[in-house]
Amino acid sequence: MAKILIPTALKQYAEGQEEVDLEAGTVDEALADLTGRYPGLKKHLYNESGALRNFVNIYLNDEDVRYLERGKTKLAADDSLSIIPAIAGGAPAQTGRRPLVEDGHTTLDATEIQRYSRHLLVPEIGLDGQKKLKASSVLMIGAGGLGSPLALYLAAAGVGRIGIVDFDVVDYSNLQRQVIHNTSSVGQPKLESARDRILEVNPGVQVDLYNTALSSENALEIFAPYDVIVDGTDNFPTRYLVNDACVLLGKPNVYGSIFRFDGQASVFWAQEGPCYRCLYPEPPPPGLVPSCAEGGVLGVLPGMIGIIQATETIKLLLGIGDTLVGRLLLYDALKMKFREMKLQKDPDCPVCGAHPTVTELIDYQEFCGIRPHAAEDDAWDITATELKQRLDAGEDLVLLDVREPHEWDIAHLEGATLIPVGQVQARAGELNTADDIVVYCKGGTRSARAVQELRSMGFRKLKNLKGGINAWSQDVDPSVPLY
């Protein structure tokens, strides 16, 4: 009997199951059985035409079925199928590749020799390797969960120049996992907080700050001076932008992503193996894959994945070891298990394939299906203040909470009905099209998706609480916990 492993992001559509045993002769039969048992999975795995979505990969044991017989691939009794959605033969990793950095005329003074003495004792690093690290440069995209351990360990290791791209400020909700920041940093730009901590760890590091959103207009210029780019982003437009810029510039992209208890890591380097688009040719539709802000994350998880990214970065700079080029590392913190999937370079990849069609940076918001805010969107929105006024006026409103039950336990609006967003379509019969319904979630994203689903089923008297229950906490009732 074969089994299918369900990723964390999709467990909610499979009644919380982590794995499902089934009788099936092929991959297609297995997926048909799975979606027959759990219909809510179907739209997440297949598009409207019935084809497997491009941001979902299916692995038979450790082989991508795209490079076997796809859906017709036969299954044996002890086989495992893994569904690998985007959260976020390829060339095998090479041993002893040429280092990205030459030490040139770099020297170490007596203080540095003492600081890095444990590196100098490692034959694979030694004095020459430490000089290479001092002469090297790394650009980090993001100073958050993944960027925190990455920055601290790269600085401690003696990487001479560290650039950081970020434009956010430190918030209390960051402190559970973003260990480079502390309580006194709340309200401070993350760049400044990260720089100060890096220089405390190693005052010899040059820290470059880019207080801007990464875009198609500035990415190539920002990336150009650095040897390695490390992706610590939390959204798909920036992830595809980072990938494409790295391919165009011929730079390695050290990838990491996290969600709840699951992590992924790889090295995408088109000169030696696949790029991110080879793994996920297309992004998921907006809102389909929740972010950490919506779905949560175990606080220590970015530490684990960030450390892996730091390790891969140092190996690349020194030209030592077997990197994650051509391999996708999967980490399950709940089971304390690592799995490894082989990645192959897609000869038809639009950016790194034999005949690329993407030869310059594009509009990544549009590519990921994120359209500019339109005036018509406002017609479906209601602010927290407006909702309070209507409730105070005695209007008969149905409050629909589309968060998860554990979020309901944190805080909820009095009189609300809980139907998690993944169940809205199946439980729409519990609602009345004649009622005025205000839908809310944590920040407004999931509720907007629920409003769209309900509209498609004939509901018209709908409003989406702009900013979600957090806006209610900030603008109406501070006693409601902000999370």
Side-chain angles (χ1 to χ4, degrees):
M1 182 174 290
K3 66 181 178 181
I4 295 185
L5 305 179
I6 311 295
T8 298
L10 297 180
K11 287 177 188 175
Q12 61 183 311
Y13 307 107
E15 298 179 2
Q17 297 298 311
E18 296 182 353
E19 59 183 59
V20 178
D21 294 322
L22 39 78
E23 296 283 357
T26 67
V27 170
D28 277 345
E29 290 175 9
L31 293 177
D33 188 351
L34 180 70
T35 54
R37 297 188 199 186
Y38 307 108
L41 277 173
K42 191 166 186 177
K43 70 176 182 179
H44 295 275
L45 300 182
Y46 295 97
N47 61 24
E48 293 77 6
S49 303
L52 197 66
R53 292 183 180 274
N54 281 332
F55 55 84
V56 175
N57 293 321
I58 307 297
Y59 276 77
L60 173 59
N61 302 320
D62 67 346
E63 296 282 350
D64 190 334
V65 300
R66 291 179 298 175
Y67 302 101
L68 299 174
E69 296 181 64
R70 295 183 176 270
K72 296 179 181 179
T73 303
K74 296 188 181 303
L75 301 179
D78 57 349
D79 280 337
S80 293
L81 285 176
S82 299
I83 302 172
I84 312 293
I87 322 186
Q94 299 176 13
T95 303
R97 65 162 52 85
R98 180 186 178 91
L100 287 175
V101 181
E102 300 296 339
D103 59 19
H105 301 291
T106 304
T107 60
L108 300 180
D109 61 28
T111 301
E112 289 173 315
I113 288 175
Q114 183 178 13
R115 174 185 286 270
Y116 305 122
S117 63
R118 298 305 184 269
H119 268 178
L120 304 184
L121 295 173
V122 178
E124 290 82 358
I125 303 177
L127 185 62
D128 288 343
Q130 194 61 50
K131 289 179 180 179
K132 290 183 177 71
L133 291 177
K134 184 177 180 180
S136 68
S137 57
V138 175
L139 180 68
M140 298 168 26
I141 313 301
L146 294 172
S148 290
L150 177 70
L152 294 174
Y153 274 97
L154 291 183
V159 171
R161 181 182 181 187
I162 298 175
I164 313 174
V165 182
D166 204 305
F167 61 97
D168 200 3
V169 298
V170 180
D171 180 84
Y172 277 108
S173 65
N174 302 146
L175 302 181
Q176 160 256 14
R177 66 200 178 281
Q178 299 182 15
V179 295
I180 202 168
H181 311 298
N182 53 46
T183 304
S184 63
S185 304
V186 171
Q188 183 180 8
K190 286 186 178 179
L191 286 180
E192 296 178 8
S193 173
R195 176 200 58 203
D196 294 346
R197 185 73 181 95
I198 288 171
L199 294 178
E200 286 180 2
V201 171
N202 191 343
V205 176
Q206 175 184 327
V207 183
D208 304 332
L209 305 182
Y210 300 92
N211 186 15
T212 183
L214 196 68
S215 68
S216 298
E217 288 70 36
N218 62 23
L220 295 179
E221 181 180 358
I222 292 175
F223 285 21
Y226 296 93
D227 301 310
V228 176
I229 312 300
V230 187
D231 178 6
T233 58
D234 60 359
N235 64 86
F236 287 107
T238 308
R239 185 163 294 156
Y240 280 93
L241 168 58
V242 170
N243 176 78
D244 293 0
C246 285
V247 173
L248 295 177
L249 293 172
K251 296 183 183 292
N253 169 18
V254 182
Y255 159 79
S257 66
I258 51 175
F259 179 70
R260 291 187 177 164
F261 296 96
D262 293 350
Q264 299 181 357
S266 188
V267 174
F268 298 113
W269 194 3
Q271 293 183 345
E272 297 198 10
C275 76
Y276 182 75
R277 282 188 190 245
C278 295
L279 178 61
Y280 297 117
E282 295 178 3
L288 191 63
V289 178
S291 66
C292 289
E294 293 179 322
V297 63
L298 179 68
V300 299
L301 179 64
M304 177 68 80
I305 301 302
I307 291 298
I308 292 171
Q309 289 180 285
T311 304
E312 291 300 293
T313 300
I314 291 172
K315 286 158 58 182
L316 287 166
L317 294 171
L318 295 177
I320 62 175
D322 298 332
T323 70
L324 285 175
V325 172
R327 297 184 287 158
L328 177 66
L329 188 66
L330 305 177
Y331 173 61
D332 183 333
L334 277 181
K335 295 182 178 178
M336 193 50 70
K337 279 189 175 181
F338 287 92
R339 290 188 295 145
E340 185 179 298
M341 304 297 181
K342 296 178 183 177
L343 302 181
Q344 298 195 43
K345 192 175 183 71
D346 182 358
D348 298 320
C349 176
V351 66
C352 79
H355 304 287
T357 56
V358 178
T359 56
E360 59 184 17
L361 300 182
I362 61 175
D363 184 335
Y364 292 90
Q365 297 286 324
E366 180 181 358
F367 173 69
C368 292
I370 302 173
R371 60 186 178 84
H373 184 81
E376 63 188 46
D377 298 327
D378 293 331
W380 299 97
D381 284 343
I382 185 172
T383 67
T385 304
E386 290 168 343
L387 175 59
K388 177 69 162 57
Q389 291 171 346
R390 292 182 63 176
L391 290 171
D392 288 347
E395 291 191 37
D396 188 14
L397 303 177
V398 173
L399 302 179
L400 176 60
D401 188 327
V402 296
R403 299 172 302 151
E404 298 301 313
H406 56 272
E407 294 179 272
W408 171 277
D409 293 340
I410 298 170
H412 58 267
L413 300 185
E414 185 177 353
T417 297
L418 175 65
I419 302 180
V421 67
Q423 302 175 22
V424 165
Q425 195 167 29
R427 296 175 59 184
E430 299 175 27
L431 304 171
N432 190 333
T433 57
D435 288 338
D436 288 300
I437 303 173
V438 177
V439 189
Y440 74 89
C441 62
K442 177 189 174 186
T445 302
R446 284 172 287 174
S447 53
R449 180 151 51 97
V451 165
Q452 289 180 342
E453 286 198 18
L454 290 170
R455 286 175 62 188
S456 71
M457 290 183 280
F459 289 82
R460 288 293 177 267
K461 301 172 72 175
L462 298 166
K463 288 292 184 181
N464 174 43
L465 180 57
K466 192 172 183 178
I469 195 170
N470 277 351
W472 182 270
S473 173
Q474 291 171 317
D475 300 337
V476 175
D477 184 3
S479 70
V480 175
L482 188 69
Y483 72 103

